[in-house]
Amino acid sequence: MSEFNETVVHDVIIIGSGPCGLAVASRLCEPSPSALFTDDEHQRYHWIKKYGRRMTLKNRKNGRILEKRNPCEARRYSTLVLDATGNQWMNRWKTLFTAFDIQHLRSPMFWHVDPSDRDALLAMAHNEGVEGELFELKNCVGKEVSKHLRRARAKGRNPRHHAIVDIDERDRKDYFTPPTSLFLDHCKSIADRYHLCGDDIVRHEAVQDIDYRVVEEVPSDDELFVVRTDKGHTHYARVVVLAAGPGNKPRIPCIPGLVDGQGLVPPQVCHSMQIREFPGSVVQDRIVARKTTNILMIGGGLTSAQLSDLAIRRGVTKVWHLMRGPCKVKLFDVDLSWMGKFRNVEQAYFWGADSDAERLQHILRARNGGSMTPMYHKKLKKHVETGRLELREHTCVSSASFDTEKGVWHVQTEPPIPEMPAFDFVYFATGIQSDFFTLPYLKTLLARHPIDGHGGLPCITEDLMWDKDLPFFVTGRFAGLQLGPAAGNLGGARVGAERIAWAIEDLLPGRTPGDEGGEDTDEELHYVTGRGNRFRSLSVAGEDG
């Protein structure tokens, strides 16, 4: 018999315990998200929330004394999180950080999942005394642009020269990247603050099927989501949020001689998202035996650069790094013009597009394939100079064969590379091609509630909902047609959580924190904090008189 009560109906089930899932879960607990305020309003509001309850406030209508309360003492919604990789928040990210030996994020300081404060991650860095460990993103704000160049551009006839920088100079403090340890600690602090830890919240279960129907076991005529998992459990919910990151499983490209028709992965071949130890045990044994080792790295993104550098640092004799296109170097995986705390011109063009198909083209142009950061590009150039790395652009693997006797791979490329050695291991850092319509656990929903899509992304509503009749929400990369090219990043995670939380509040009314204090409590708090219409309080007072 299952250890869980299968007749329990949760308000919300979140699929995925990564940043997008944590962003949604924490936002559903936060009554005053910073996204609603300017910086000054945000500071004033939180001061009153923190210290205002220390004073005795009396309601003129009924004489009730307003007591101090903590809105985070209880969750507003009954929430369950299902994740295929573990029963902790950020489990997958922790695994990849360790496997790739990643020390800093690629995202800037203001991209995080805390709903209560835009500068929460920066504040934590100062509170913990680790601000010296932040990595500055140079050539981003314009610090390196000389006065001479500024004047020359200002006098130029080309109007484009006036756009000296893409980022507001006042945001300089934000364009640092945090250490991975700081980011994980920050995520843990968010989960602790909103009481989102424990086996009753995050469960290690892989979703196998999702249906939306009337449930006979539940005494209600309302339709509910029925979520079945690999552990044999069936969970029920009024709302489901898909926050599964790329969603699809990583796949190795079909190369003759490398992957057979059945899709079985041969020995000494691995996708970067499936790495458990690096380099592989075969390579490690040969390094210990002081033998010459060669590995082949395929990919043009940041992950491929990180793995090539890590392989050399861990003793591999030489890495051959192939990419099918040019080597693109960018600070972020989206163009700099898409970065910033507030909406900008690019986002306005995106949201003003006439169709989802046009939005997809904006996304493709903004991301423009894989890229690596200037820091890792500099590292790879040093390895090339020392002869430890062979970097080939515009090169693809055409075929491969495995020598079982010697345990090495022989690879042919296009264009051909003369004197290419045999490889001890082949790694594919080719990313994951996300396709919403091939997710196995969505077959039932797609059959009963068809939905359009473009480029593997679903055409969802502005609230990130499947449609107005199906309270199934999508965030992360799959919400790209509504959130833009940064949907799969930390910035998109927080924006997506904001939209979803507003919609859920409309779908599941009566769960606003402070309901136990009555409407008057919220009305008075809104008045002293300057939220909403202050003259509404005058009309209420007039009715009492």
Side-chain angles (χ1 to χ4, degrees), residues 1-10 13 80 203 205 215-218 224-229 231-237:
M1 182 176 178
S2 171
E3 61 179 305
F4 303 112
N5 183 1
E6 296 188 354
T7 61
V8 172
V9 179
H10 299 278
I13 287 181
L80 176 66
R203 296 182 186 172
E205 301 181 30
V215 179
E216 297 179 357
E217 297 86 346
V218 178
L224 299 172
F225 284 100
V226 181
V227 181
R228 292 191 299 104
T229 70
K231 299 296 178 64
H233 301 146
T234 301
H235 305 283
Y236 305 104

Side-chain angles (χ1 to χ4, degrees), residues 85 90-103 180 184 246 250 271-276 278 303 306-307 310 314 432:
T85 63
M90 307 298 294
N91 187 77
R92 181 61 172 160
W93 281 52
K94 294 175 184 176
T95 301
L96 294 177
F97 286 162
T98 301
F100 298 169
D101 192 27
I102 299 176
Q103 301 300 320
T180 53
L184 292 177
H271 193 282
S272 60
M273 294 295 107
Q274 296 173 324
I275 290 176
R276 292 294 177 266
F278 186 83
T303 299
Q306 291 170 333
L307 291 178
L310 182 59
R314 291 187 173 175
I432 299 177

Side-chain angles (χ1 to χ4, degrees), residues 20 42-43 46 88 107 133 172 193-194 230 291 330 339 358 445 455 465 522-523:
C20 291
H42 164 72
Q43 182 180 8
H46 278 276
Q88 295 180 347
S107 303
E133 299 179 18
R172 179 183 303 282
R193 182 199 313 160
Y194 297 109
D230 62 338
K291 296 181 179 179
K330 297 193 299 185
M339 305 294 294
E358 185 178 344
L445 279 183
M465 194 162 66
D522 290 333
E523 186 66 41

Side-chain angles (χ1 to χ4, degrees), residues 288-536:
V288 172
R290 299 184 180 276
K291 296 181 179 179
T292 300
T293 52
N294 294 279
I295 69 169
L296 178 63
M297 186 67 61
I298 301 173
L302 178 58
T303 299
S304 66
Q306 291 170 333
L307 291 178
S308 290
D309 173 65
L310 182 59
I312 294 172
R313 288 193 284 116
R314 291 187 173 175
V316 174
T317 306
K318 189 167 184 176
V319 176
W320 291 69
H321 192 148
L322 310 183
M323 52 185 68
R324 63 181 180 181
C327 181
K328 288 170 283 189
V329 182
K330 297 193 299 185
L331 286 169
F332 311 106
D333 53 2
V334 295
D335 290 339
L336 192 60
S337 57
W338 284 88
M339 305 294 294
K341 287 184 178 179
F342 307 102
R343 299 178 181 179
N344 53 29
V345 176
E346 294 292 344
Q347 289 173 327
Y349 285 139
F350 176 81
W351 287 326
D354 295 330
S355 65
D356 286 335
E358 185 178 344
R359 288 187 175 187
L360 177 62
Q361 296 306 313
H362 280 286
I363 294 173
L364 296 177
R365 285 194 297 269
R367 299 193 69 88
N368 192 26
S371 62
M372 63 183 69
T373 61
M375 180 184 71
Y376 271 97
H377 183 244
K378 184 177 180 179
K379 290 182 178 181
L380 295 190
K381 288 174 65 176
K382 289 184 178 179
H383 293 318
V384 170
E385 293 173 358
T386 60
R388 302 286 300 279
L389 176 71
E390 185 76 22
L391 182 63
R392 295 295 182 102
E393 304 176 56
H394 304 285
T395 304
C396 298
V397 176
S398 57
S399 63
S401 60
F402 186 66
D403 187 335
T404 55
E405 184 176 338
K406 296 182 179 180
V408 294
W409 281 96
H410 298 282
V411 175
Q412 292 75 44
T413 63
E414 182 61 41
I417 300 177
E419 300 180 358
M420 177 176 280
F423 295 104
D424 302 294
F425 220 104
V426 180
Y427 289 96
F428 286 86
T430 50
I432 299 177
Q433 299 299 319
S434 298
D435 189 347
F436 181 85
F437 302 94
T438 61
L439 296 176
Y441 48 83
L442 293 184
K443 287 184 178 180
T444 301
L445 279 183
L446 288 169
R448 296 188 179 185
H449 305 273
I451 187 174
D452 295 330
H454 295 280
L457 305 179
C459 296
I460 52 181
T461 69
E462 291 184 356
D463 294 327
L464 310 188
M465 194 162 66
W466 190 291
D467 60 44
K468 61 183 181 64
D469 298 321
L470 188 66
F472 183 96
F473 293 87
V474 180
T475 185
R477 186 183 298 188
F478 287 126
L481 294 181
Q482 287 295 336
L483 298 180
N489 296 340
L490 295 174
R494 190 170 60 182
V495 175
E498 187 69 35
R499 292 201 195 185
I500 291 173
W502 277 107
I504 290 178
E505 288 177 3
D506 292 336
L507 291 171
L508 305 178
R511 291 171 174 82
T512 303
D515 282 348
E516 70 282 356
E519 295 180 0
D520 302 328
T521 301
D522 290 333
E523 186 66 41
E524 199 150 341
L525 179 63
H526 289 176
Y527 177 81
V528 298
T529 56
R531 301 177 70 196
N533 186 351
R534 291 190 177 188
F535 295 101
R536 181 179 176 184

